[in-house]
Amino acid sequence: MNSNLVRYVLGWVLIIIGAMLILPIIVAVIYHENDYIYFGIIAVACLTIGLISSKIKPKNTQMYVREGYLSCALTWVLLSVIGCLPFFISRQIPSFTDALFESVSGFTTTGASILGVDRQIEDLSHSMLFWRSFTNWAGGMGILVFMLAVISQLSGHSNMYLMKAESPGPVVSKLNPKLKDTAAVLYGMYGGLTILQFLLLALGGMPVFDAITLSFSTAGTGGFSIKNASVMAYEGHFYWQAVITVFMFLFAVNFSVYYLILTKKIRQAFKLEELRWYFVIFISAIALITIDLTINGFYSNVFERIHHTAFQVSTYISSTGFASADFDTWPELSKTILMTVALIGACAGSTGGGLKVSRAIILVKSTARDLRKMLHPNSVYTVKMDGKAVKEDVVSSINTYLILYVFIMVISVLVLSLDEKMDFATDFTAVIATFNNMGPGLAKVGPTQSYYDYSILSKYVLIFDMLAGRLEILPVLMLFNKSCWKNK
Amino acid sequence: MKIIIIGCGKVGRTIAEQLDGEGHNITVVDKNPRTVNRLTEHLDIMGVEGDGASRSVLFEAGVENADLVIAVADADELNLYICLLAHCSGAKNTIARVRNPVYHKNITESQSMRKAIGLSLMINPEKIAALEMSRLIRFPSAIEVDSFARGNVELYTLRLAGDHFLVGKKIADIGLLKGDVFKGESRICLVERDDEIIIPGGNFVFAPGDKVSFICTPSKASRIFKKFNKSAPAKAKNVLIIGGSRTAYYLADILIESNINVKIIEKLPERCAELSDLLPEANIIRGDALNEELLDSEGIDKMDAIVTLMHLDEENIMLSLYARQKSDAKCITKIERIVFDNIVDTMPLDSVIRPRELTAESIVRYVRAVKNSEGSNVESLYKLVDGRAEALEFKINSKDSPVVGKQLKTLKFKNNLQIACITRKGKAIIPKGEDTIEPDDLVIVVTTHKGLQKIDDILD
């Protein structure tokens, strides 16, 4: 491994984090809060170390897969630790583990919180709330992608590995021949949609601070709310909740769809198989749950039923993790459907989590192919997506991914079950909710509950799950691979 | 510029590498996913996997907004077809690699056909190689000859033998030597020593084995050559071409035109008949060249230049090594496929010609010219010593540039950079410290820096 190169990349990451920390300082100044000191100290420290480190350019700047994966994983560890310091130093979240949990949950866009039971979310200062929601936004499209977009020193060709390691989906491809342009286009669309949502919310009468933080959390499909009761706090404001529903749905769509629309290839965009299946899953989940709720007599009218169903399906399929209703009280079938759409998750190349729709499609198709092969052992049949053959190594990497996915889930549930205070439903949904970067689970980690009661060990397991889920497992596993650390 | 390259063979690859380094937006298209992957992993470019002759694939690569489409797939017909398709789909310029001389002739002669296909440039690798070889043969003691400023000046490279009179001398002292070799008509621009590229300053001392490149006008070249290399003949009279390929035909054609005697050895009787039909003045020998007796009996030791153009690189290398052993003739070896440049360089082969690199180079040069019309003022670019150094021609367009009108000795240039020549109104000037750069000059800069875009970039 070229450790000097990794150090160099991390130096730039520190500069970006330092720059990000300036935003909550501004918020603190606006609200006359003293927290700017904490953000200020950390920002200055990050910028100083970052500037020194980025000045010393390594001799060999050729990045290979292992440097890409390692830089990515270490970036996220660094991000999480620095991100938790404001909470911790200001004693607004006194336990380091809790602060780290909150920070990881923010950057990985999980939205699972340890706040809400013992301490209320509303107890945090405005600048801390802003920072909490901003971590959702920064983690959504990814910090390395942002870095590639703005720092031309890193625009070299081999940094594609960085982007690949951070971006979700089985195949990461460029929108534009130049990596820098691709990253800039992605952030442009991301920022544009965020601003659009903010405007729609603010013009709809939502307080500006709420609108900003909610837009950040929705855009990253994170799900941090500035209210203890999540979006339930806006009870009765159907317009606000509807805007959030639509944008949660939109941010879980593959961003290349928006690029195609921007470049006036609309027909091609709507032909994408992943997008079509995403629609199908979304609509059928809403239909099934609405019927289930009707049979079981929830809510007084159809409009309200569909409204809450759409919100909950949106939040689960996009792995955002808001709640407009306490769905923990819903019928079992509805809850199971919600968990299922959460497992399948969003589209690849979006800010959402989960297995990703395209992976699910390829898995189903390749399984069907293998079954067919049992009957006709000599048949040759390629798995196709969007009319093109999917490469065999992509198919096999998705199979590997699924195995790792299940394996990590099982081990996590096992470790969590050491916690005597919790039950199986809680442990199981907690792992699903964190590993898929969703947020609230069911039972004791349901939408009105929090992760506060878990033991320290369990919290670290969940922190690992969140990071592994956001980076799609492999980069995080590389941290534990001895040969990856060896200097060649 | 937005450029699409179809075909990721060696040529496509070389072009992509070069153009990516110059900051163009490149998309490559190839049927083979592995070659596409290999390229996109190493370069900051986009890859599209698929048949370049398919409209949907070209659209996926963004042909409708492309400034240039370069078709370097295997077959001529395919390349022409792709260019036609790209032209009809909105590409601004197209380049095709076309080997077949008949197609070449058809398209060159018929303006309307050229217009219909929308072809901006046709590249014939064999012809380019033949031209390059003929340049070398004109000056047998040179290892390489590059021509600049529309042929007004040329850069000659030769290797210093151990007993050469320059060995151990400083550049600054050359003018003091008896009968001054250069007389201010030439300048040493580049020295390659072992693995190092040096743009020499006045204190540079020559060592045996140095590959020295100097620039001068072609008319002065033979005089300087005579002084420089007293033993070698200034001009070749008898040339032996081994292998009757298409390149051999082009080369023989050029040589015969400048009154050089050409002998071609070819194995296949049908090809011999064809060649003798096409080149009545050449001496066509039928026989297997991999035969010492035949080579000896055809007077390999009496030749001024020997060119090996067999199909296999290995045969060419062996033949050249044999020829070097038997005679003092200038040897030119064609190497098409073998990539171990470092190893080939260590062999005593004299000159090596790689047609694919030449092809890539001429396409890159064209791209520079197109780009020049929209901003950068690099007239053309020449890759020297395997691309490790560059010679750039800058057209001085404006009076406002910080380099214009100042004596060169007052300007602070980048390290490893030299102004080799200034062409003013068609006349080449080898600049001294007192000379100035004026508007409308064509300035040739030799440097190891990559990617200079405008004349101001030469300053530190």
Side-chain angles (χ1 to χ4, degrees), chain B residues 253-268:
Chain B
D253 198 37
I254 300 167
L255 294 178
I256 288 168
E257 219 158 88
S258 47
N259 293 320
I260 295 173
N261 301 322
V262 177
K263 192 179 270 186
I264 302 178
I265 301 182
E266 166 61 39
K267 196 175 172 184
L268 296 175

Side-chain angles (χ1 to χ4, degrees), chain B residues 41-59:
Chain B
E41 260 169 33
H42 292 271
L43 303 174
D44 191 8
I45 61 176
M46 203 155 85
V48 174
E49 170 198 329
D51 186 351
S54 133
R55 226 170 97 85
S56 63
V57 170
L58 280 187
F59 271 98

Side-chain angles (χ1 to χ4, degrees), chain A residues 18 51 58 81 83 85 101 150 156 190 265 267 307 322 332 369 401 447 465 469 471 481:
Chain A
L51 283 172
V81 173
L85 292 179
F101 188 95
V150 294
Y190 187 46
K265 293 179 180 167
R267 281 230 332 251
H307 171 79
F322 286 138
E332 282 305 317
R369 188 245 325 246
Y401 184 81
D465 285 352
L471 300 180
N481 187 340

